[in-house]
Amino acid sequence: MRNTPIKKFLIPVLGVFEPLTFSMPFIREKKGLISLVIIAGLVSNLSLLFVPIFIGDSVSALQQGHARYIIRYSLLILLAYSISAAVSFALNYGSQYISQFYAMNLRKVFILHLLGKRFLFFESQTSGDLLSRGTMDIEATRNFIMNTFSSLIPTIFLIGEGLVLLYQVSPFYSLLLALATPVLVMLGMRSSRKQRTVWRMIRKTYGRMGEILQENIVGQRVIRGIDAEGKEIAKYSMETQRYYDENLTVGRIRGLYNNLMPLTVASISSAALAVGGYIDLIRGISVGGLVSAVTIFSMLTNPVSFLGRMVVFSENSRAAIQRIKDVISTENEEDVNSGGFNFQKGPLEFSRVTFSRGGRTILSNVSFRAEPGDFIGITGKTGSGKSSLVNLIMRYYEPDSGKITIAGKEIHEIPISILRRNVAIVPQEINLLSGTIKENILFGLESSLDEVEKAASVAEISDFIDSLPMRYDTLVGERGITLSGGQRQRIAIARAVLRKPAILILDDATSSIDPDTEERIFKNLKETLKDSIILMVSLRDSALSFADKVLILDGGDMKEAEV
């Protein structure tokens, strides 16, 4: 289809309804309420439009000497306003309800897709930006959805109903209003185009601000320890200044066009009153009819102007929707369907596995086999691929070539949810919830306190927990800030033990634990998980000395060392 002027006009106008179209899957089950809200908007505006008619009729009655009808028309005007007010309450409440219901469902979908993304997705995103998408962007779309039901749809009805009534009273005024509507919408479209790029920049800047703030809160000890407060304040101030300048740019554009629209409306209204009034008086229309026509026209000019402004306001919401879509799309998502798969314990085998990232080969034709009951150490220089190797077992990443099997089954044939339910990893960076010690060990499981205590005992953390006044109900603070590094590691080990995994991966998980406690933990693990495979990544000789065999990674190749 050719890009005709009509198409150029309609695409931005219809774009105002993009947030509404986007919201439908999240509010579809509220079809009945949506219908009632739309009907409420129709009734509310229709009631208001009868007021100018009643005012015109009362003026005509006075002109004709029928003063006795004034009370009747006054009561009708009061009734019309009362109906409009009552229905407007339902309209506004219903719009708020729908928008909040939409936001609630969208947040659920957002977190579902976010946690289903592959790890490569998070490597190209910042936590502050993702936080901004899940909060500020969703709220921006919610506000627009609320305004769509409470104002935009009723405004469209008001203009349509008003044009019909206005045509019956004065065709000239209805024609003038019909011609004025595209002019005001065009002004809104022009303003929208100017704001589009700026709004996207604002969203990105807000995300960077959130990222810097989060880094400063989480890393406050490091920042203070190296006396970097001034640098961080300057960095945050620079982003704040950028955010301020970008919002001022939007303010200037809005200030220009939001004032230009009322000026246009005022000019049209003045011309309508002067020219239209003269024409209608020549035609012999009654004074009451002229009052009705002018009043209806005045009532409709602001809604027409509002329609143009909604094109402007929609740009903020549409920019937010695009950022949300990047997260809730199925692109870069893992397949977590468990589909009744029966997991079997058995040997773990790497067969000529090659893995590269960023054009650099990290693992090259790596092969090894681990039997249930094996305690295997993995070591190598920093950056040799130790963590990459164990991350392949978890399917955080996929190998370029080769096979990884468990009990003879290739791991890509095992549903991810089943695989990770049977393979537990204690990573280098320990993440604890801001809840209690018990909640951190359970982490979604519904085990008994007795089982939690046994897992804590295996991890050699039970004596410390028992020394606390609240024991397992002790709060650990955000990210476990009230605990030492070794205590956090032992709680994470207890968390993994509680899952009774077929394969336990310790990725430098005892680096902050003293050698004596470390040795006791390893003995406990061998006794408790005697039918499981334990893979331990470490650079410490004291840890590696406990392994049945040690695999060394060097330059992407693997060899076995003598223990």
Side-chain angles (χ1 to χ4, degrees):
M1 183 185 293
R2 292 192 308 170
N3 204 14
T4 62
I6 294 177
K7 184 180 177 182
K8 286 183 178 180
F9 173 77
L10 287 177
I11 289 176
V13 173
L14 296 177
V16 176
F17 292 96
E18 181 185 347
L20 182 61
T21 304
F22 173 77
S23 72
M24 290 312 296
F26 306 103
I27 58 176
R28 187 173 288 120
E29 62 184 271
K30 297 296 179 181
K31 285 181 179 178
L33 179 59
I34 292 171
S35 300
L36 288 174
V37 168
I38 292 174
I39 292 171
L42 184 66
V43 172
S44 175
N45 290 325
L46 190 58
S47 301
L48 282 179
L49 284 172
F50 277 110
V51 172
I53 303 295
F54 295 147
I55 291 174
D57 289 344
S58 64
V59 171
S60 296
L62 283 174
Q63 187 182 17
Q64 296 169 12
H66 302 306
R68 63 183 181 279
Y69 292 120
I70 297 300
I71 295 177
R72 178 191 300 176
Y73 287 123
S74 298
L75 292 175
L76 287 173
I77 291 170
L78 179 61
L79 177 63
Y81 273 123
S82 299
I83 293 173
S84 178
V87 177
S88 291
F89 172 79
L91 171 67
N92 292 323
Y93 180 79
S95 300
Q96 183 70 246
Y97 184 97
I98 292 170
S99 69
Q100 292 292 352
F101 187 79
Y102 151 79
M104 177 185 69
N105 286 333
L106 178 56
R107 291 186 185 107
K108 292 177 181 178
V109 171
F110 186 90
I111 190 67
L112 176 68
H113 284 274
L114 185 67
L115 294 181
K117 293 294 184 186
R118 297 183 186 276
F119 279 71
L120 287 173
F121 171 82
F122 293 97
E123 291 179 4
S124 62
Q125 307 290 335
T126 64
S127 57
D129 185 60
L130 291 174
L131 184 64
S132 170
R133 297 184 193 208
T135 53
M136 181 182 179
D137 288 349
I138 290 179
E139 184 61 18
T141 62
R142 187 202 69 79
N143 274 322
F144 192 81
I145 295 300
M146 182 185 67
N147 286 323
T148 296
F149 283 105
S150 66
S151 302
L152 179 59
I153 294 176
T155 295
I156 294 172
F157 284 148
L158 179 63
I159 293 171
E161 294 163 350
L163 281 171
V164 172
L165 286 176
L166 193 58
Y167 182 80
Q168 294 174 354
V169 177
S170 173
F172 173 78
Y173 283 111
S174 63
L175 176 63
L176 195 62
L177 186 66
L179 293 174
T181 301
V183 174
L184 293 171
V185 173
M186 286 291 288
L187 288 173
M189 289 163 47
R190 186 174 178 82
S191 174
S192 176
R193 282 195 296 268
K194 288 180 176 291
Q195 292 184 59
R196 185 173 299 131
T197 303
V198 183
W199 271 117
R200 289 172 183 167
M201 292 167 58
I202 287 173
R203 295 288 176 202
K204 290 180 180 179
T205 303
Y206 187 86
R208 287 195 298 269
M209 287 170 58
E211 176 68 18
I212 294 171
L213 194 60
Q214 184 183 43
E215 288 175 350
N216 277 269
I217 293 172
V218 174
Q220 56 175 299
R221 292 185 179 181
V222 175
I223 292 168
R224 293 181 182 184
I226 60 175
D227 192 30
E229 294 96 328
K231 180 181 178 182
E232 290 301 311
I233 291 171
K235 183 165 67 172
Y236 188 73
S237 298
M238 183 176 68
E239 292 299 330
T240 302
Q241 182 66 43
R242 182 179 288 115
Y243 188 72
Y244 169 79
D245 292 338
E246 289 166 352
N247 275 280
L248 276 187
T249 301
V250 170
R252 283 193 294 269
I253 297 171
R254 283 188 172 183
L256 173 63
Y257 284 92
N258 286 359
N259 286 301
L260 190 57
M261 288 178 188
L263 180 61
T264 304
V265 169
S267 301
I268 293 172
S269 299
S270 300
L273 184 59
V275 179
Y278 180 73
I279 292 174
D280 284 341
L281 288 174
I282 291 176
R283 287 174 54 236
I285 191 173
S286 66
V287 174
L290 179 60
V291 170
S292 296
V294 171
T295 306
I296 293 174
F297 185 85
S298 299
M299 283 182 64
L300 294 179
T301 50
N302 281 332
V304 168
S305 178
F306 171 79
L307 197 61
R309 290 197 302 272
M310 283 298 285
V311 177
V312 176
F313 297 147
S314 71
E315 195 55 50
N316 181 17
S317 179
R318 291 165 69 186
I321 285 173
Q322 187 54 55
R323 285 162 49 83
I324 294 169
K325 281 182 177 179
D326 291 342
V327 175
I328 67 173
S329 69
T330 55
E331 187 179 357
N332 291 320
E333 288 194 358
E334 298 174 329
D335 180 12
V336 295
N337 179 28
S338 56
F341 184 88
N342 184 26
F343 183 87
Q344 297 289 331
K345 281 189 176 184
L348 166 70
E349 186 170 4
F350 274 58
S351 179
R352 300 183 65 81
V353 172
T354 297
F355 175 65
S356 59
R357 289 184 61 191
R360 185 174 72 90
T361 299
I362 298 175
L363 302 174
S364 178
N365 293 320
V366 169
S367 298
F368 74 92
R369 182 182 175 91
E371 299 286 345
D374 284 351
F375 193 117
I376 297 177
I378 300 172
T379 190
K381 296 178 181 179
T382 301
S384 60
K386 303 182 296 296
S387 294
S388 296
L389 185 141
V390 295
N391 285 337
L392 290 175
I393 301 172
M394 298 297 295
R395 286 191 65 190
Y396 292 160
Y397 306 101
E398 300 292 339
D400 300 335
S401 62
K403 293 193 303 182
I404 305 173
T405 61
I406 298 176
K409 194 79 171 178
E410 290 194 43
I411 62 171
H412 71 264
E413 297 176 0
I414 303 174
I416 287 180
S417 58
I418 298 295
L419 176 69
R420 293 175 185 167
R421 203 174 297 160
N422 289 276
V423 181
I425 185 169
V426 183
Q428 294 177 349
E429 297 181 6
I430 305 299
N431 287 314
L432 298 183
L433 300 171
S434 57
T436 64
I437 292 175
K438 180 182 176 182
E439 289 170 342
N440 274 282
I441 295 176
L442 285 170
F443 211 77
L445 293 181
E446 296 182 358
S447 305
S448 65
L449 179 60
D450 183 58
E451 291 175 302
V452 171
E453 290 175 343
K454 288 179 180 178
S457 179
V458 171
E460 293 291 328
I461 190 68
S462 57
D463 289 345
F464 166 72
I465 297 173
D466 289 336
S467 70
L468 300 172
M470 299 295 292
R471 298 184 70 241
Y472 287 86
D473 292 323
T474 302
L475 294 172
V476 300
E478 187 176 13
R479 297 174 179 263
I481 196 171
T482 61
L483 303 174
S484 69
Q487 289 163 350
R488 289 198 295 271
Q489 285 185 330
R490 283 181 285 167
I491 287 175
I493 292 172
R495 176 195 296 168
V497 170
L498 189 62
R499 278 149 178 76
K500 300 173 183 175
I503 301 173
L504 173 63
I505 299 170
L506 304 173
D507 189 3
D508 205 18
T510 58
S511 58
S512 298
I513 301 174
D514 66 90
D516 291 338
T517 304
E518 180 184 58
E519 183 178 352
R520 291 198 301 273
I521 291 173
F522 290 156
K523 287 181 180 178
N524 295 340
L525 289 175
K526 290 204 73 170
E527 292 174 4
T528 305
L529 303 175
K530 56 180 177 294
D531 295 326
S532 300
I533 298 170
I534 300 176
L535 300 178
M536 173 190 60
V537 174
S538 182
L539 294 174
R540 296 169 65 173
D541 291 337
S542 59
L544 295 172
S545 64
F546 198 83
D548 299 326
K549 63 179 177 180
V550 176
L551 303 176
I552 301 174
L553 283 169
D554 184 18
D557 299 321
M558 174 176 279
K559 62 182 179 179
E560 184 174 343
E562 295 183 4
V563 179

